[in-house]
Every structure is written in structure tokens, then in C-alpha cells.
Amino acid sequence: MSRYLLKSTRAPRRSTLDLERDLNTTQRDAVAWAGGPLLIIAGAGSGKTRTLTYRAAHLIERGVDPQRILLCTFTNRAAREMVERLEGLTGIDLHRMWAGTFHHVANKALRRHAQLLDIDEGYSILDQEDARELMASCLAEEGAELKRRRYPQARVLLHITSLGINRRASLTETLVQAAPRFLGLEEAIGRIIERYAARKHQLGLVDYDDLLLHFRALLRDHPAAAEPLKERFQHVLVDEYQDTNKLQGEIVDLCAQTHGNLTVVGDDAQSIYSFRGAHYENIIAFPERHPGTQVFKLERNYRSVPEILNLANKSIRNNQRQFPKVLEATRGAGMQPVLLPLFDVYQQADFVAQRVLELHQQEDVPLRHIAVLYRAHSHSMELQLELTRREIPFRVRSGLRFFEQAHIKDVLSYLRLVHNPVDPLAWQRVLRTWSGVGRRSAEHVMERTLSVPHKPLRPAEVLNDADLRARLPKSAHAAIKRLAGLFAALDPALSLSEMVRQVLDAHYRDYALSAFPNGETRVDDLEQLADYARQYSSTGEDTLERFLSEIALVAGFGAEAPKAGEHADDCLTLSTIHQAKGLEWRAVFILALADTLFPQPMATRSNAELEEERRLFYVAATRAKDQLYLCHPRFEEPSKGPRKLLRLSRFVDELGDDGVVPYDRWEIVES
């Protein structure tokens, strides 16, 4: 055999690893630990990623082949950044290292062993949209059964399927936990899910959950292929371990089975994703599953001033099931957190908008360094409108502005048609939510709407038209009749709040619960919309037009150039707390700190749920570096019934259990 010398064009690099210089004592001890099961509890802002990266670099420096290290992360971006940092620390090209998301690692293994698992060697991976279309076709095969009872739509079926797989739970258990409204349909749902699985196998397709399921099966049930893999993985390192689900936890344990060198890094106090399937037991019971586990706690915080950390420490100490720790500040003293008792959500919006402008204009804080966090997206509705009025640019992190969400636009489309019966986009949104009304039926409705241009027909008149009914297929008749009745009830003489509730009660509540995985949350948003509409006390066409115009401005404002910020990207951040995890800002406002809002009622059903909700408050507080504002609206005006007094959130109330509150209280005085 002849040999060919490949000359490298890359400049040689040297290791820059220096544990003494770059790490504190606890980080160094964790990085240098010899082997065996290792649990690193990394408090907020304590250098979690740095510690895990240096751990991998130190193993390589000690002579471990990089190709024998398995590094699992939750995003491809995190994996890329970690590998790049590792290459900088070690001076070694690591492109062949097993590093990436759980799905990436699973795919890499399955490509080599597909035949063992009875899947096509050249399988294609379904993205979410393709998976939804395939599930929709499997659902459609139920035929006439779909008309007898409202079935979950395709995306909801995928959500139910995925939760069951990742939680390792039966269909009934999954429905009880995540979609109790569909209990009684287990047989039909099970049949559709089986059809979906068979269709994937027939077409040589796998979805994201299949990758993990097959990988687990490979590691557990096929020793001839699994043993070389387990032997290869001399060290297994896992980032954000508190967010792993039950299936991922089993995969991690199987990968580390041969050598037992398993390093997991995470913070039990930031485990907040059970609704996605995250399994708290993975991290909290790690030492029990892995006898001899060495536990290191990273408690030095490099992010926040001590006053904020004092509040965070007091909040999380009320949880019973945890690894107790106390965050210690490395920064000097700063501003005490502030509790704001506010009259209602409108005064809350006024305060936040004004204080944001003061921070930006008087204290030179860029808008991009300020965030407003909330438990539920609906809690930001009034604020979004107030920011728009004051021309303060903002962006909603990883989501749409409140009034741009599909379910809000759907319901507002009914009101748009009451105001303007020839609005084609509103007709499209309304009609597509009614079962039995297909594309051709919708076209017939819109054609009839535009047939009398000088005297537009009201929506109920259009839908009750005999000529139109004659052109529609029988499958659409029942839906069109119900829709006509709904529009007949939507009289402009009604209050806006009553109109929203009419739509919700007559149709949209049932639609949302079957169409969206988070249907209950979307119904809550619409209830909040009805409550908000109460401030428009008058009725009639002028009030309806003003309401719709004001809401439309929120969307239009998002496309305008910033006026309060210096740069195009200088925008205030609005985010749910779930989306804010892992981020930080100089100033943070937490909205709606009242019982029934935060914590939400459903989160108080059990101690485990309440403790996760408290962890959510802890995560919100620890996002703040310099200033933290706790907003408590004291009164709520529901769309039905009298004004309600809102108790201060128990998560704030319990901060003073030792007789010393870790915040200042500001009294709001209106000019």
C-alpha cells in the first residue's frame, strides 16, 4: 500500500488552558476531578458554561482522545460555541468530536446502525411542518368520525405524542397531565398515532422524537452495536442537565454505562420546563441513581449586585426539594430591589414605560439592556399598547407581540367584519376556523360579500343568502348556519367586551382547545382581551373603529424606526420568563406579581408544581444585574362581576418571613 502525505495549511496552535488564572477554587476542583459520576450544581451567573468547557479541555490535556468525549447540549449553537472555545483552549482541531444536541448525536449513531432498528438506511428526518402534514393526513382517515366529536388537530396530536415519548408515559397518563379535555378519545387517538408511526416507517421517515427513541433502543437492546459505542464514550458531559426529559436521562445513563465517567452541569433551581417534558428527578435524584457521585456547587455569582442576590436567595430557600446553595456576589453594593404597589395593570404600564424612559434618557442605559418579564404573554398586553403610544421601541423575545398572535387575530377578525364586511383577510381568518368550510366554500362566501359593492351586505346577510347556500357543499351547511347566528348576535350596540365573549363562548373556545397544544393559555389570553376591552365604555361603530385602529398601531409600530433608542437595534425586550432563561439585563421589571397571576392557580395544585413556579420567580429575579423592579397591580376589573382585590404574590410576601424585607417599597403618586 502506498502512502500519501497530506500537508496541513493550518498554523500550529498552542494550548491556552490555565486553571489557576481562569477559574475560582470550586470551578477548578470540579474541572480537575479525576473521574466517576460528577454533578456540578451551577447557580445563576456562576460560570456554568466556562466550567463545563474547561472540564472538557482539561480531559484532553490529560490525554483523553477528543473523539472519546461525548458532549451533549440543548442547541447546536451552544455546541458550536463550546467546541470553538475548546479549540482555542487546547489548540486542537475538534471537528470530529462527538458534540451537539441529543438529536444530533442520536442521528450520528443511527446512520451507522439503521438496519438493526428496522429503519431505512437513507431515512429522511421530518421537520415540524412536514410532520404536521403527515399527521393531518392520518387524522383525515378517521372520516365521518371527525364530525361526531371534535378531535384534536394535527399539531395537538403531535404534541401529545411527543410528550408521551419524552416523558415515557402512556397515552392515558399523557392526556390526564397535558390534555384532559380529550379523555374518552384514547382509542381513536391511539389509532391515529399508530397510523402515523406506520406511515413514517412505510415512507422511510423519522421525526425528532424517533431519533431519541431509536437511539435508546440501540443502546439498550442491541449489545453488538451498543458496546463499541459505550466503550468509545470514555467521558460523557451534559450541559443544562436540569432541562433533560426522562428519555434523554435514560440515554445519558446508557452512554456512560461502561466507563461511569458522567459529568452533568445544571441548576436545579432553574428547572422550569416540565410543560415541555423536562424531568426534575433527573437532576435532583442524580446522586441516588449514581452512587459515589461527587457534587460541586458553584455559588459565586459574577452577574448581579448583592442586593438582588439577597432577594433571590431568600426566594428559593422556601423550596424543600433542592440542593441548597447561597449565591455570593463578586460585585460591589448596588441598588436595593424595588416593590411597586400599583392600582391596576394600566398604572403598571404607565410606571414601566415612564421608568424605562428615565433609565434610558437620564441614566444612559441603552434600551437593549432593559427587559420586562412576565409569567404569561397576556400580562404584557396593556404595556405593549402604552409603549406604542409613547413611541418606545420594543421587541418580544422568541414570540409575537400580543395582538399579532394567531388566536388574537382570529377573534379580532370577527370584530373587523362587523366594522367592515368586505375585509377579505378577516373573512379568510374566520372561515378557516370552522370545520367543514373548505377553500372553495370560503371563496364562494367572499364572492358573495363583494357582489354588491355600493351597499355591502352584513356578514349575517351574506351567510344566510339562499343563492350562497345553494352553491355550498352540504358539509359546510351546519357550520355556515352557526356562523350566521353568531354574526347576527354581534351587534355594534354591544360592548366590545361582550362581543369578544360572544365569539369565545359560541365557537372559539372549543376551536382553540382542539387546535393548539397550549389551548388553555390561548383561551386565557382571550379572556384577558375581553377584560381589556372593558375600558372602552361606549358602544357603536366609532368605538369599534377606535379599538381596532389602536390595536393595529401596535403591529405597525413594530416596523417603524426606533425613536427613543440611539441605534436601530436598541429596543426594549419583552419576554416571558421561560424565554428569558440564560439571559441577563442591567434592569429588569417583573410584571403582575399577584396571586392568581403569578403564581397561576394551576401551579398551586401540588407542592411540586408550586416549587417549580417559585423557581420561575427565582429565574426572573436572577436575570437582573443592577436594578430589579417588582410590580404588583392591586386591583383587577374582570369583564364579568365587580372589581377584585389582588393579593401580593406569595413569592414576594414570603421574602419577609424573617422580619427583614430585601427590597424598598415605592409609593406611587400621580400628578
Side-chain angles (χ1 to χ4, degrees):
M1 178 184 293
S2 301
R3 293 187 175 184
Y4 178 82
L5 177 63
L6 181 64
K7 299 178 181 178
S8 174
T9 59
R10 301 182 182 183
R13 292 177 291 183
R14 293 183 178 180
S15 170
T16 61
L17 192 65
D18 189 334
L19 304 189
E20 292 291 330
R21 178 193 65 199
D22 297 338
L23 304 175
N24 64 42
T25 302
T26 311
Q27 289 173 332
R28 262 197 316 273
D29 291 344
V31 164
W33 187 254
L38 174 61
L39 173 60
I40 303 173
I41 299 295
S46 64
K48 166 186 67 67
T49 302
R50 169 181 287 259
T51 303
L52 186 63
T53 305
Y54 271 72
R55 169 82 174 149
H58 181 67
L59 291 172
I60 294 170
E61 286 273 296
R62 282 175 40 205
V64 177
D65 184 344
Q67 294 188 58
R68 300 196 66 189
I69 296 174
L70 172 62
L71 175 61
C72 290
T73 63
F74 267 81
T75 66
N76 287 313
R77 178 182 175 183
R80 285 194 303 270
E81 291 176 351
M82 209 171 288
V83 169
E84 288 172 5
R85 181 72 176 126
L86 270 172
E87 289 182 335
L89 289 171
T90 62
I92 299 173
D93 181 0
L94 299 174
H95 74 279
R96 293 185 180 179
M97 182 177 173
W98 282 61
T101 65
F102 285 92
H103 298 93
H104 170 82
V105 170
N107 181 52
K108 189 171 182 177
L110 294 178
R111 290 295 180 187
R112 306 178 181 192
H113 303 290
Q115 283 187 332
L116 284 175
L117 299 160
D118 192 29
I119 55 177
D120 193 297
E121 286 185 346
Y123 64 81
S124 297
I125 301 174
L126 284 168
D127 62 22
Q128 291 182 340
E129 184 59 27
D130 289 339
R132 189 196 63 77
E133 289 184 7
L134 183 59
M135 181 66 85
S137 69
C138 295
L139 173 62
E141 291 182 28
E142 289 295 292
E145 286 296 317
L146 297 175
K147 298 178 183 178
R148 297 194 179 104
R149 181 174 174 181
R150 186 176 286 278
Y151 276 52
Q153 293 192 14
R155 66 184 126 187
V156 178
L157 285 168
L158 285 172
H159 177 67
I160 291 169
T161 306
S162 182
L163 272 183
I165 289 172
N166 288 296
R167 289 177 173 174
R168 308 296 296 145
S170 69
L171 176 57
T172 300
E173 290 170 334
T174 303
L175 291 177
V176 168
Q177 294 171 354
R181 59 193 179 276
F182 297 121
L183 286 170
L185 278 175
E186 292 95 327
E187 183 179 345
I189 292 174
R191 185 168 60 243
I192 297 166
I193 292 173
E194 288 176 4
R195 190 180 298 139
Y196 172 69
R199 195 66 47 80
K200 285 186 295 181
H201 185 268
Q202 177 186 357
L203 298 173
L205 303 170
V206 300
D207 60 24
Y208 295 133
D209 294 322
D210 291 330
L211 292 173
L212 299 187
L213 265 182
H214 290 315
F215 189 32
R216 174 181 173 275
L218 179 69
L219 293 168
R220 190 190 63 176
D221 303 331
H222 299 277
E227 291 310 319
L229 266 179
K230 295 177 184 179
E231 172 61 33
R232 179 191 190 107
F233 299 144
Q234 185 178 347
H235 284 270
V236 178
L237 284 69
V238 185
D239 192 19
E240 300 286 6
Y241 188 67
Q242 78 282 343
D243 295 336
T244 54
N245 58 47
K246 195 167 186 179
L247 178 57
Q248 290 165 337
E250 292 177 5
I251 288 171
V252 166
D253 289 349
L254 287 166
C255 286
Q257 205 169 46
T258 297
H259 295 284
N261 296 320
L262 174 58
T263 298
V264 300
V265 180
D267 184 4
D268 59 300
Q270 296 187 69
S271 179
I272 58 174
Y273 294 122
S274 64
F275 69 98
R276 294 182 188 169
H279 190 52
Y280 188 58
E281 292 299 314
N282 281 354
I283 190 165
I284 202 68
F286 185 88
E288 298 169 23
R289 292 199 321 279
H290 299 276
T293 292
Q294 177 65 39
V295 180
F296 288 100
K297 296 179 184 178
L298 307 184
E299 297 173 297
R300 293 189 67 187
N301 177 284
Y302 296 90
R303 174 186 300 154
S304 306
V305 295
E307 291 80 2
I308 291 174
L309 296 184
N310 180 38
L311 183 146
N313 287 330
K314 281 193 166 190
S315 74
I316 202 63
R317 71 184 179 187
N318 289 286
N319 275 9
Q320 299 302 309
R321 294 201 73 208
Q322 63 169 316
F323 293 101
K325 57 184 172 299
V326 178
L327 296 179
E328 302 170 359
T330 57
R331 297 181 56 196
M335 177 177 165
Q336 191 84 341
V338 180
L339 173 64
L340 285 307
L342 299 149
F343 185 78
D344 57 16
V345 291
Y346 303 106
Q347 191 178 67
Q348 176 180 257
D350 286 341
F351 165 75
V352 173
Q354 178 175 310
R355 186 61 185 148
V356 164
L357 285 178
E358 290 171 352
L359 290 171
H360 178 62
Q361 295 171 350
Q362 298 174 21
E363 300 185 26
D364 264 348
V365 180
L367 292 178
R368 64 184 178 277
H369 292 165
I370 308 172
V372 182
L373 307 182
Y374 35 83
R375 175 62 179 85
H377 204 46
S378 60
H379 295 167
S380 71
M381 178 177 59
E382 296 81 10
L383 177 61
Q384 291 190 30
L385 286 163
E386 186 61 29
L387 293 172
T388 301
R389 290 191 193 104
R390 299 194 188 211
E391 299 186 334
I392 302 173
F394 67 93
R395 62 167 59 92
V396 179
R397 175 170 169 76
S398 300
L400 299 171
R401 295 167 183 242
F402 183 83
F403 293 106
E404 295 172 357
Q405 298 175 101
H407 55 297
I408 302 296
K409 292 175 73 172
D410 285 347
V411 170
L412 289 176
S413 290
Y414 286 85
L415 277 62
R416 285 168 56 187
L417 289 173
V418 171
H419 173 63
N420 175 18
V422 293
D423 183 337
L425 296 180
W427 272 115
Q428 287 177 10
R429 293 200 75 93
V430 166
L431 292 170
R432 70 178 177 80
T433 68
W434 287 81
S435 179
V437 181
R439 182 177 58 84
R440 287 296 301 155
S441 296
E443 288 174 356
H444 289 319
V445 171
M446 286 186 283
E447 286 170 6
R448 183 65 184 117
T449 300
L450 299 170
S451 63
V452 189
H454 300 298
K455 186 182 178 183
L457 299 173
R458 309 305 298 177
E461 295 175 314
V462 172
L463 298 170
N464 282 322
D465 182 78
D467 291 339
L468 172 65
R469 293 284 183 94
R471 299 173 67 188
L472 297 177
K474 289 184 178 180
S475 60
H477 283 189
I480 293 297
K481 182 178 179 180
R482 284 183 59 208
L483 181 55
L486 173 54
F487 271 117
L490 295 178
D491 190 322
L494 292 174
S495 72
L496 296 175
S497 180
E498 288 173 317
M499 293 173 74
V500 171
R501 287 202 171 277
Q502 286 268 16
V503 176
L504 188 56
D505 294 341
H507 168 66
Y508 203 84
R509 177 179 282 103
D510 287 342
Y511 171 76
L513 292 175
S514 67
F516 302 110
N518 60 341
E520 292 93 345
T521 300
R522 298 191 186 232
V523 170
D524 288 343
D525 286 349
L526 293 166
E527 297 276 5
Q528 186 76 13
L529 177 65
D531 291 347
Y532 172 77
R534 281 192 72 179
Q535 69 173 306
Y536 295 81
S537 55
S538 59
T539 60
E541 289 285 353
D542 291 344
T543 302
L544 178 57
E545 180 179 7
R546 182 161 58 92
F547 175 68
L548 294 173
S549 297
E550 185 171 339
I551 287 172
L553 286 174
V554 179
F557 179 70
E560 294 180 1
K563 296 182 180 179
E566 297 177 358
H567 307 291
D569 64 343
D570 194 24
C571 293
L572 175 69
T573 296
L574 272 59
S575 176
T576 63
I577 302 168
H578 285 103
Q579 292 289 352
K581 182 174 167 291
L583 303 175
E584 58 185 45
W585 293 271
R586 286 174 60 181
V588 168
F589 298 79
I590 307 178
L591 301 186
L593 283 167
D595 266 13
T596 72
L597 298 177
F598 190 4
Q600 294 186 324
M602 290 185 65
T604 62
R605 295 175 302 185
S606 69
N607 193 56
E609 290 172 302
L610 182 60
E611 291 204 347
E612 177 164 338
E613 194 83 347
R614 186 178 286 109
R615 293 195 292 269
L616 199 61
F617 175 72
Y618 173 85
V619 167
T622 53
R623 300 310 94 200
K625 298 166 69 175
D626 303 328
Q627 298 185 29
L628 177 64
Y629 298 90
L630 310 175
C631 299
H632 168 220
R634 292 176 295 168
F635 292 98
E636 179 182 42
E637 295 198 27
S639 55
K640 293 181 179 179
R643 176 187 294 166
K644 291 165 52 180
L645 177 65
L646 295 173
R647 284 185 53 220
L648 178 64
S649 169
R650 69 190 69 188
F651 300 146
V652 180
D653 194 36
E654 66 194 13
L655 293 172
D657 284 351
D658 60 358
V660 181
V661 294
Y663 52 75
D664 286 337
R665 185 188 298 266
W666 286 5
E667 180 184 357
I668 300 298
V669 180
E670 290 194 348
S671 61

